[in-house]
Amino acid sequence: MVSLALVLSLAVLVPQDVDEKSSPFDGLRWSGDQPEVQVDGTWYEPVAIDGVDVDEILTLADTWSPGREKRFAEDLVPILMRLEWKGDRVVDLDLRSLEDGSAVRIEGVEMTRSKREALRASRNTRESSGARRPSPPTSISREDARADIEAFGAGLKDQFAYLGLGEVDLDRELAQIREGIDGGQVDILELRLELHRLLMRFGDGHAQVRSNLPLGQRGDKYLPFLLVEAEGGVVAVLPDRSALVEPAAPFVRSIDGKTMNEWIELARPYIANGSPQLVRRRALGDMREIDWVRRVLGEETGAPLKVTFSTEDGSETVERELELSSRRPTYGDWPRSQSELLEGDIGYLRIAQMNGDVDSLHEAMEEFVDTEGLIVDVRGNGGGTRELLLALGGYLIGPKEPAVVGNIAQYRLSERFDEDHLEARYMHRPDWDGWNDRQREAIEAATATFKPEWQPVGEFSEWHYLVMDRTGHPAEYFYDLPVVVLSDSGCFSATDIFLGAVELLPRVTLLGAASSGGSARSQSFRLPKTGFEVRCASMASFRPDGRLYDGRGIEVDVEVLPAPEDFLRAGGDAQLK
């Protein structure tokens, strides 16, 4: 139950220019426990609101009686403020198409009271008429489970580009899952985890099996800190980033008697068999759900944490017992910085999200025209679209320099995919009539030397190419000075493509830590009995030298890891320095 004190505290947090009782959505409906929203007449799955993950919004909504459906519809602004939303009357929405699973970004959506009231009225009408959606079942019959296992295999064979990656015999593994089913009823969550663990073995960083049922249970608690990787090891940071949990001995050596490497190994089956940096980063993030993790391991939930901290050299250790948190800690964008002109006449271009905001990029580059060098910071950028790569490439390639192929891919042939399946990724066949002569020459040169390290298995399209070149934008000029791009393991998906493309340019140096590695043209299908959403790559994606993006990531030219204090609001920034 939400207390009056909590409600009052939330009201204080809401900026004056934001209506506390507002929403950006024209419609709201539920698929089990997952929302689907209507924007401009089209229904989507919501992913993020102004960079705040919807999963985090729902997790917090679950802690407020009567739960997520009412709170997501009626109390979205107070929830966002609790999650450190900056607050604005217009928001940018990251969405996922219900038709093909593609990423959609809609910018500048107005938050209005009328939209919120419409959602509230619609919900009240459903409840008064008895039309409230019942809770989804937690088990299904053995026959239905086996039907979904068959549908899972058929869907992957039809649409999954990385089906032959990872030395997994799909038919044999599915047969073992089928044969392991006994009794009349099958636990839906257990089946979901079986299928998810199998899918993770292929190495597709975008893949997952999602259920309408939450993994955790009501009342589950969370780590009271964030785990991040710094020079010297894993450190624990307070969720508000005001301080390290143990400043004098910041490195976490063990939790509940298990070393951090042991925790990472325990998490590995639930994470894509990708690059080491992807596995470590996701494992540390997943540990926030500590009660769920303990439950999977058959251990007591809710108990205080026993944490061993130490100095980097291990000469001093500190043992602490810490109470769990009722609120899931969130990472948010980090570093929290803006594009600006730095001391020494150095341009600093911050790209926290691949959101297609090319206007802001052009405005920043106009300011940097007379600088002595440029730093492009994409740390923590989990991906999105490719417009910013193409826009920046227009500045970094000279009029007399060749265009650059940054990505070569082909998609699995399926009746679900049209011939323009990769158009949203700005990738086209060599005979596309939109190429100019420079770009055709770049494609011919790349094709002559391209030898993929892995050959996709099955029926695939022709090869498609992403070409970075001058764009002809009125503000564009040739930036012919040194450029340093800051990277870390938070870089993924479209940001991997960004890094893999700009690293090919002669004046660019990558600094920091390797990206996680992932490129997919991810799409989804649903299983008929459980309603599981299976997301998987439809595109096999390569760097021009033949290496896969998935499973590798983009290495840096100069490795510099952050210091523990770099994750604090008032800390430093060793990589930027």
Side-chain angles (χ1 to χ4, degrees):
M1 186 72 67
V2 181
S3 69
L4 177 60
L6 177 57
V7 172
L8 291 175
S9 69
L10 289 171
V12 171
L13 289 171
V14 178
Q16 293 181 355
D17 61 345
V18 178
D19 188 344
E20 182 180 353
K21 298 184 182 300
S22 63
S23 175
F25 305 125
D26 303 316
L28 172 64
R29 66 191 185 192
W30 293 84
S31 175
D33 280 352
Q34 297 301 312
E36 295 175 350
V37 298
Q38 189 180 46
V39 183
D40 295 335
T42 302
W43 288 94
Y44 303 94
E45 175 189 342
V47 176
I49 301 172
D50 269 353
V52 180
D53 288 346
V54 167
D55 285 345
E56 296 177 354
I57 295 171
L58 296 175
T59 297
L60 182 55
D62 279 338
T63 67
W64 296 2
S65 176
R68 63 173 56 189
E69 289 198 18
K70 178 177 175 63
R71 297 306 173 193
F72 190 79
E74 300 179 26
D75 300 302
L76 187 57
V77 170
I79 293 174
L80 284 167
M81 298 312 303
R82 293 275 288 181
L83 295 173
E84 300 183 359
W85 177 55
K86 297 176 183 178
D88 201 342
R89 284 177 292 183
V90 294
V91 295
D92 297 336
L93 300 178
D94 289 299
L95 309 162
R96 186 174 289 124
S97 167
L98 295 181
E99 181 177 345
D100 63 5
S102 61
V104 176
R105 185 175 179 86
I106 302 179
E107 299 179 350
V109 178
E110 188 176 5
M111 301 267 289
T112 69
R113 178 173 287 234
S114 62
K115 291 179 182 178
R116 184 259 191 189
E117 289 304 309
L119 300 184
R120 181 173 181 269
S122 175
R123 182 176 182 277
N124 290 340
T125 300
R126 292 198 311 274
E127 289 191 351
S128 63
S129 65
R132 181 177 172 84
R133 185 185 298 272
S135 298
T138 58
S139 64
I140 57 172
S141 69
R142 176 171 57 182
E143 292 72 22
D144 283 349
R146 288 180 170 173
D148 267 9
I149 292 170
E150 293 296 329
F152 177 76
L156 292 182
K157 290 177 182 179
D158 179 51
Q159 300 167 43
F160 189 25
Y162 292 131
L163 190 61
L165 188 66
E167 298 182 356
V168 180
D169 187 328
L170 179 64
D171 290 332
R172 183 180 66 187
E173 296 294 339
L174 292 178
Q176 289 180 355
I177 295 175
R178 279 195 307 271
E179 292 165 4
I181 294 176
D182 54 13
Q185 292 290 306
V186 177
D187 185 280
I188 287 178
L189 280 179
E190 289 184 7
L191 178 61
R192 180 254 174 185
L193 290 176
E194 284 270 18
L195 298 179
H196 180 78
R197 286 192 293 261
L198 173 56
L199 187 56
M200 293 301 95
R201 291 169 57 189
F202 290 97
D204 172 11
H206 286 81
Q208 60 178 314
V209 179
R210 295 177 57 180
S211 168
N212 291 335
L213 291 171
L215 285 175
Q217 297 180 6
R218 190 175 297 276
D220 274 358
K221 294 191 174 182
Y222 309 94
L223 287 185
F225 47 70
L226 299 169
L227 292 171
V228 292
E229 194 129 31
E231 179 71 47
V234 175
V235 298
V237 180
L238 293 179
D240 64 0
R241 296 186 182 265
S242 61
L244 299 168
V245 174
E246 192 61 48
F251 295 96
V252 181
R253 299 309 181 192
S254 69
I255 296 177
D256 289 350
K258 299 181 183 68
T259 67
M260 299 315 297
N261 284 337
E262 288 173 332
W263 281 111
I264 290 168
E265 288 304 309
L266 287 169
R268 187 179 292 275
Y270 301 90
I271 298 170
N273 183 26
S275 68
Q277 57 271 23
L278 178 145
V279 172
R280 289 184 65 85
R281 187 180 184 93
R282 292 189 178 178
L284 295 178
D286 290 348
M287 280 191 67
R288 290 176 292 174
E289 317 278 348
I290 189 64
D291 265 353
W292 178 79
V293 174
R294 286 170 162 177
R295 188 176 296 112
V296 170
L297 297 176
E299 298 176 355
E300 179 186 1
T301 62
L305 293 171
K306 296 181 179 179
V307 187
T308 300
F309 296 92
S310 83
T311 54
E312 182 175 356
D313 61 7
S315 60
E316 298 181 28
T317 60
V318 177
E319 304 286 344
R320 289 191 61 181
E321 186 171 278
L322 301 172
E323 295 294 330
L324 301 184
S325 172
S326 59
R327 178 182 174 186
R328 182 175 181 264
T330 59
Y331 286 89
D333 290 338
W334 192 262
R336 295 174 188 161
S337 51
Q338 303 293 325
S339 298
E340 61 177 329
L341 190 63
L342 300 178
E343 184 179 353
D345 212 16
I346 303 297
Y348 174 76
L349 177 63
R350 174 64 172 143
I351 304 178
Q353 299 174 12
M354 292 298 171
N355 57 14
D357 185 8
V358 295
D359 289 341
S360 293
L361 184 143
H362 288 305
E363 290 172 6
M365 291 302 294
E366 183 177 1
E367 183 180 356
F368 302 154
V369 63
D370 293 322
T371 54
E372 297 298 320
L374 177 65
I375 297 169
V376 182
D377 188 352
V378 295
R379 290 175 294 177
N381 188 326
T385 63
R386 301 181 176 191
E387 289 93 335
L388 291 177
L389 164 64
L390 298 177
L392 182 62
Y395 290 90
L396 303 186
I397 296 175
K400 298 182 180 180
E401 295 181 341
V404 173
V405 172
N407 186 198
I408 303 176
Q410 54 184 182
Y411 64 88
R412 180 175 283 279
L413 294 179
S414 165
E415 291 184 357
R416 289 194 57 187
F417 307 148
D418 298 327
E419 286 192 2
D420 61 355
H421 186 60
L422 300 187
E423 184 174 325
R425 302 298 186 267
Y426 297 92
M427 303 192 74
H428 303 280
R429 294 172 172 82
D431 60 357
W432 181 52
D433 58 11
W435 301 125
N436 61 33
D437 290 341
R438 275 166 53 99
Q439 294 158 358
R440 290 192 183 93
E441 290 175 5
I443 291 171
E444 290 174 3
T447 302
T449 59
F450 177 62
K451 294 181 180 179
E453 66 172 336
W454 170 75
Q455 185 61 50
V457 179
E459 297 290 327
F460 277 78
S461 71
E462 296 178 55
W463 290 106
H464 288 58
Y465 298 82
L466 171 78
V467 180
M468 185 169 56
D469 194 7
R470 297 180 66 81
T471 69
H473 188 279
E476 191 174 88
Y477 59 89
F478 178 29
Y479 193 91
D480 60 350
L481 295 168
V483 178
V484 173
V485 180
L486 300 182
S487 162
D488 67 6
S489 62
C491 299
F492 183 65
S493 193
T495 313
D496 282 304
I497 303 297
F498 182 97
L499 293 166
V502 299
E503 72 158 349
L504 302 174
L505 302 177
R507 290 163 294 276
V508 173
T509 300
L510 303 189
L511 184 147
S515 66
S516 278
S519 179
R521 180 56 168 95
S522 186
Q523 50 76 53
S524 66
F525 59 91
R526 288 194 180 272
L527 304 187
K529 304 301 181 181
T530 56
F532 292 167
E533 180 193 17
V534 182
R535 296 199 61 78
C536 61
S538 62
M539 172 180 75
S541 183
F542 298 84
R543 297 161 74 175
D545 64 7
R547 286 179 289 177
L548 283 163
Y549 279 93
D550 280 272
R552 289 187 174 276
I554 306 300
E555 64 286 341
V556 293
D557 301 302
V558 181
E559 185 175 59
V560 179
L561 297 181
E565 295 78 11
D566 291 355
F567 296 99
L568 306 180
R569 291 199 308 267
D573 191 336
Q575 293 167 323
L576 179 59
K577 183 178 179 179

